Amino acid sequence: MHHSQSAVPKKILRIRQVCEKTGMSRAWIYGAIKSGSFPAPLRLGIRSIGWEEQGIDGWISSRIPKEMNNGKE
């Protein structure tokens, strides 16, 4: 049985890693989740949550102006 997903393993980031990766504060991230402008976390356990790294990378990419993504200034 073949899976159509890529061979890249999924990585779960904790809040500290998300803050470091995005440059945003914990309070900003939770406020943005509440307003729907940031990816919601996954429930990992009773008292733990995390974010898929690919989702965070996608959010970061969506914030970069298209000119920069295409190598233009």
Side-chain angles (χ1 to χ4, degrees):
M1 179 181 203
H2 291 282
H3 295 283
S4 61
Q5 296 177 351
S6 65
V8 177
K10 292 185 179 186
K11 183 175 178 184
I12 301 295
L13 303 176
R14 302 304 296 264
I15 186 65
R16 182 173 294 171
Q17 295 168 302
V18 173
C19 291
E20 289 173 5
K21 191 165 187 113
T22 62
M24 301 300 193
S25 72
R26 179 184 180 112
W28 185 92
I29 289 170
Y30 284 115
I33 291 166
K34 190 173 183 178
S35 72
S37 60
F38 194 81
L42 305 169
R43 172 83 38 208
L44 303 175
I46 295 171
R47 293 178 49 118
S48 63
I49 59 172
W51 287 259
E52 276 192 43
E53 186 173 36
Q54 290 175 323
I56 299 304
D57 289 342
W59 180 86
I60 292 169
S61 293
S62 75
R63 308 291 291 177
I64 298 171
K66 293 194 186 312
E67 308 85 56
M68 293 181 75
N69 281 333
N70 294 331
K72 299 175 187 173
E73 295 200 38

